[in-house]
Amino acid sequence: MTTAHTTTHNTTPQYPFTAVVGMDDLRLALLLNAVSPAVGGVLVRGEKGTAKSTAVRALSALMPAVDVIGGCRFACAPAAPDPGCPDGPHGTGAVEERPTRMVELPVGASEDRLVGALDIERALSEGVKAFEPGLLADAHRGILYVDEVNLLHDHLVDLLLDAAAMGASYVEREGVSVRHAARFLLVGTMNPEEGELRPQLLDRFGLTVEVAASREPDQRVEVVRRRLAYDADPAGFAARWAAEEDALRGRITAARELLPAVTLGDAALRQIAATCAAFEVDGMRADIVMARTATALAAWAGRTDVLEEDVRQAALLALPHRRRRNPFDAPGLDEDKLDQTLEEFGADEGTDGDDDPEPDGPDGGPDGGGPDGGGHPPQDGGPEESPLPPEAELPHQQDREAPQPPQAPEKTGQAEQPEPGSAPQGGAAGEKAAVGATEPFKTRRLDVPGLGEGADGRRSRARTAHGRTTGARRPHGALGKLHLSATVQAAAPHQRARGRSGRGLVVRRDDLREAVREGREGNLVLFVVDASGSMAARKRMSAVKGAVLSLLLDAYQRRDKIGLITFRGTGAELALPPTSSVEAGAARLEQLPTGGRTPLSEGLLRAHEVLRVERMRDASRRPLLVVVTDGRATGGPEPVVRAGRAARLLAAEGTASVIVDCEAGPVRLGLAGELARELQGTAITLDELRADSVSALVRTVQGNRKAA
């Protein structure tokens, strides 16, 4: 029964994997990892509400059960127990069979929850390693699932990278060390609109797939119908799909048994290497993942030879996320180039000796037939047909590529903006079409003054859980990082009164001290960009967009949230609400037209409102206001006076700010400098923004106000 394989602690069965409608690529990628966990996991990218999590959770019910040593908290295999297991050495204990676990890692989990925790008090006083396993231990020989993996804190990402690279987890606290095996199938889901992954973690996922809601009415109806039926009677719904689940589970087992017999010939290897080289993929991990994926595809199709179609499908799953060169690049693969490469480097024998390279079925390849990849069915031990029903195998490639309707940005106090080439607004110069940005460059770091306590990042100084130790304090709640010397100093005066007689130190909980650390935090960087007619010269606006693009790239690297406000004509608009997605910011910037008057005050007031709302949402994330303008104010009544009032309003609330002075020409009015004085911020020129600028001085956003 399906319920025997569920990983939840209640009696409600998981939504059946075979009942998932559409999403052929996702189902295929998950099944290939079930056949060969060495493929390296799956990253699922897609918009919210597309059943990403449902499909991933349903996979655990299909995974074969594992044998473990009875009583071992670290799931040691009876045939090959971990010699360094904290619960070892293992004798001839009883062997238990248990379902494959799927462990979910919450985005807000602590380090101790992920890797486990040591009882430091017992370690100091008794000299024993009292270790409580974490999620990595629970996930050993199972699935580690991270929903919204792109929002995971940096220090947890580092721990995941270490465990994925070494197959083990290390926990160290002041010289006390524990190690245990941690080999797991890593599956993550993410919404790209909320920000991208660090390249190091991105590369750790073997495969990636893009999912989107179908635009086909019949398919959407079927999704709703099945979901409502499951919610009304989960057990009954699961029972109706039990036969399909058992058939698919059997096929996975058959493919696993066939996998060692699959031959990866020289022709296929040449195509894999040539494909990775043609797409300029960094490192060799892509070649290895493609080879493992192609082998798993052959086993899934019931073959012992890897064909060109397997290599092609492996490339489509393993290479898109490894093609990114900067955070503004969308993952993807040029399929025409892929086909040309495979044809150019295909050997004469082409199919490694297979007399019938064409797969069965009308779809003619792994792209058109759902999870079975369109290949031949297994000859031994597997079902003759795909266990997935026809309605679950509807093609959806055209749905995924359907253009999304653009979202209208919020607007404040302004008329509808005209299309490029339309009549002038308010008597000012007409709107001009958007121009492209110059190449981005490395910028100088702009800091928020003082010491914050926001989320870990790489911009401003802050008290964080990681960084250099600056002091010690009594722990608030659970003990964090132990400050050993401070703990010893606190316990030392009481040893005689506590009756110490041996070598061990008598330590009480009141003696424990945790380290106070200083690192860096991520900030909210709010860009306020002047898009008025005074900025509309093509070369000038291209340089301005290049500078903002460079700052967006810097914000991505420093783990900031970003927002974008533009002002022109008669008002300001929130082009991008605060988000972690710099790609969205870059896209809005690229489409930004220019023209009209310069309502500087409207831009600053809009920034004040956005920051007020964000302060209520997350008071610990400090803002950095970046105003990109030449300092002119021409829109509305008394534009200069109103701009000054708005600037002083922001300064009164302690908003750190920097003004990027875009004034050009031989005669300079210095208006951006005056604005900086009103904001109590710092003005820098476009040239000074460059990290490699010879004329620039080392600047931080301290303005005329001393750091707190």
Side-chain angles (χ1 to χ4, degrees):
M1 293 293 292
T2 302
T3 53
H5 294 263
T6 184
T7 58
T8 57
H9 297 288
N10 54 46
T11 58
T12 303
Q14 295 277 17
Y15 191 92
F17 188 87
T18 49
V20 175
V21 179
M23 298 196 296
D24 303 336
D25 291 343
L26 171 57
R27 291 184 295 155
L28 176 60
L30 292 173
L31 289 171
L32 291 177
N33 276 274
V35 171
S36 176
V39 166
V42 186
L43 174 64
V44 188
R45 299 165 50 92
E47 58 197 18
K48 55 185 177 294
T50 49
K52 301 186 298 293
S53 300
T54 299
V56 173
R57 292 189 177 99
L59 176 67
S60 62
L62 300 175
M63 299 290 285
V66 296
D67 291 334
V68 299
I69 295 176
C72 178
R73 298 174 297 168
F74 301 88
C76 281
D82 180 14
C85 177
D87 285 353
H90 299 295
T92 56
V95 176
E96 299 177 358
E97 183 182 84
R98 75 177 190 197
T100 296
R101 288 178 176 173
M102 190 188 76
V103 178
E104 296 192 38
L105 172 60
V107 170
S110 65
E111 179 179 336
D112 285 347
R113 184 71 187 96
L114 177 61
V115 300
L118 283 169
D119 190 332
I120 299 298
E121 185 176 359
R122 291 189 63 192
L124 288 175
S125 59
E126 303 175 29
V128 297
K129 296 180 181 179
F131 180 68
E132 184 65 29
L135 295 176
L136 291 181
D138 292 341
H140 179 48
R141 304 177 65 201
I143 303 171
L144 182 62
Y145 172 50
V146 189
D147 194 13
E148 306 293 352
V149 64
N150 51 324
L151 303 182
L152 202 62
H153 290 304
D154 273 3
H155 67 285
L156 298 182
V157 170
D158 293 336
L159 294 170
L160 273 183
L161 288 174
D162 290 343
M166 297 183 293
S169 174
Y170 292 85
V171 184
E172 299 201 20
R173 295 288 188 275
E174 303 297 340
V176 181
S177 177
V178 172
R179 172 213 166 274
H180 65 82
R183 291 182 294 275
F184 46 82
L185 174 61
L186 182 61
V187 181
T189 58
M190 60 174 285
N191 184 348
E193 294 179 356
E194 297 174 336
E196 278 293 346
L197 277 175
R198 285 170 54 180
Q200 295 92 332
L201 184 56
L202 196 63
D203 191 48
R204 288 293 176 186
F205 286 97
L207 310 179
T208 185
V209 292
E210 298 273 348
V211 297
S214 173
R215 299 297 182 262
E216 180 63 37
D218 290 342
Q219 199 171 51
R220 296 175 73 97
V221 167
E222 186 62 26
V223 170
V224 175
R225 180 182 292 121
R226 293 186 186 183
R227 187 69 212 190
L228 293 177
Y230 172 78
D231 291 341
D233 182 10
F237 185 83
R240 289 194 294 274
W241 290 88
E244 286 83 354
E245 291 283 285
D246 289 340
L248 189 56
R249 192 176 299 115
R251 186 170 179 182
I252 293 172
T253 301
R256 280 192 168 194
E257 294 173 352
L258 182 63
L259 186 65
V262 175
T263 301
L264 183 65
D266 289 342
L269 276 173
R270 279 194 295 270
Q271 288 181 320
I272 289 171
T275 300
C276 292
F279 285 99
E280 300 178 351
V281 177
D282 294 334
M284 294 298 298
R285 182 174 285 115
D287 303 62
I288 297 171
V289 171
M290 272 191 66
R292 291 170 174 168
T293 305
T295 304
L297 280 162
W300 179 247
R303 291 184 267 101
T304 57
D305 293 318
V306 174
L307 306 182
E308 181 176 308
E309 66 200 44
D310 299 323
V311 176
R312 186 182 192 278
Q313 183 67 56
L316 293 174
L317 293 172
L319 296 188
H321 60 304
R322 295 183 167 92
R323 287 275 298 134
R324 290 168 57 88
R325 289 293 178 267
N326 65 64
F328 308 130
D329 291 339
L333 215 60
D334 184 339
E335 295 194 31
D336 291 336
K337 181 178 180 180
L338 173 61
D339 291 335
Q340 292 173 4
T341 303
L342 293 175
E343 181 179 356
E344 178 182 355
F345 288 90
D348 291 338
E349 60 271 21
T351 62
D352 292 341
D354 195 303
D355 294 332
D356 184 16
E358 292 297 324
D360 292 338
D363 298 301
D367 293 326
D372 60 10
H376 298 303
Q379 301 301 316
D380 297 305
E384 288 297 319
E385 296 181 359
S386 169
L388 300 183
E391 63 267 29
E393 298 179 350
L394 294 175
H396 66 287
Q397 183 69 25
Q398 67 274 23
D399 299 332
R400 187 168 59 247
E401 295 174 353
Q404 302 295 319
Q407 295 181 349
E410 296 183 35
K411 301 182 181 181
T412 300
Q414 72 195 75
E416 189 72 16
Q417 301 296 346
E419 295 297 322
S422 62
Q425 45 178 321
E431 180 181 279
K432 298 185 179 181
V435 299
T438 58
E439 284 296 317
F441 52 84
K442 183 176 177 59
T443 66
R444 294 187 175 276
R445 187 175 68 205
L446 307 173
D447 300 303
V448 177
L451 193 64
E453 294 184 347
D456 287 352
R458 299 182 179 180
R459 183 171 297 279
S460 305
R461 293 174 54 225
R463 295 186 182 93
T464 61
H466 304 83
R468 63 186 182 90
T469 301
T470 59
R473 67 182 179 188
R474 292 181 182 272
H476 302 294
L479 178 67
K481 184 70 173 179
L482 180 74
H483 195 295
L484 183 59
S485 61
T487 299
V488 172
Q489 290 176 7
H494 309 289
Q495 295 306 295
R496 180 175 296 178
R498 293 173 182 173
R500 174 187 172 188
S501 58
R503 298 177 58 184
L505 190 67
V506 181
V507 179
R508 304 282 172 80
R509 180 158 294 276
D510 290 343
D511 302 327
L512 298 179
R513 299 291 184 271
E514 66 180 5
V516 176
R517 294 173 171 269
E518 181 178 313
R520 292 198 173 272
E521 66 179 359
N523 298 109
L524 167 59
V525 182
L526 182 60
F527 296 94
V528 181
V529 180
D530 185 347
S532 65
S534 65
M535 303 280 288
R538 295 188 67 85
K539 289 185 178 179
R540 185 180 182 191
M541 198 62 200
S542 292
V544 169
K545 284 189 175 182
V548 177
L549 198 64
S550 304
L551 289 167
L552 284 171
L553 179 59
D554 182 68
Y556 165 79
Q557 294 170 339
R558 300 191 187 282
R559 310 292 180 263
D560 295 317
K561 289 182 66 175
I562 58 115
L564 176 64
I565 292 172
T566 63
F567 59 93
R568 52 186 285 274
T570 60
E573 66 179 13
L574 181 60
L576 181 69
T579 176
S580 297
S581 175
V582 296
E583 296 91 335
R588 301 294 172 88
L589 183 70
E590 182 181 358
Q591 301 166 4
L592 178 65
T594 57
R597 295 186 179 275
T598 312
L600 177 58
S601 59
E602 296 298 325
L604 297 177
L605 289 173
R606 188 69 170 126
H608 177 267
E609 176 62 19
V610 170
L611 294 179
R612 183 187 68 82
V613 173
E614 289 301 309
R615 196 175 294 115
M616 290 189 293
R617 290 176 176 170
D618 186 358
S620 64
R621 187 178 288 271
R622 298 186 296 162
L624 173 62
L625 183 67
V626 178
V627 185
V628 184
T629 181
D630 57 9
R632 288 181 171 84
T634 60
E638 298 185 324
V640 177
V641 174
R642 294 187 74 238
R645 290 174 180 169
R648 289 190 291 275
L649 179 63
L650 286 162
E653 295 187 349
T655 304
S657 59
V658 60
I659 293 78
V660 180
D661 186 357
C662 302
E663 191 174 25
V667 178
R668 295 177 178 268
L669 303 178
L671 298 177
E674 294 181 11
L675 177 62
R677 285 190 288 274
E678 295 281 10
L679 284 169
Q680 297 184 21
T682 300
I684 59 175
T685 65
L686 287 174
D687 178 61
E688 291 172 333
L689 185 61
R690 294 178 175 270
D692 57 357
S693 173
V694 176
S695 62
L697 299 174
V698 177
R699 294 175 181 263
T700 56
V701 187
Q702 299 192 16
N704 300 323
R705 185 176 64 248
K706 294 183 179 180

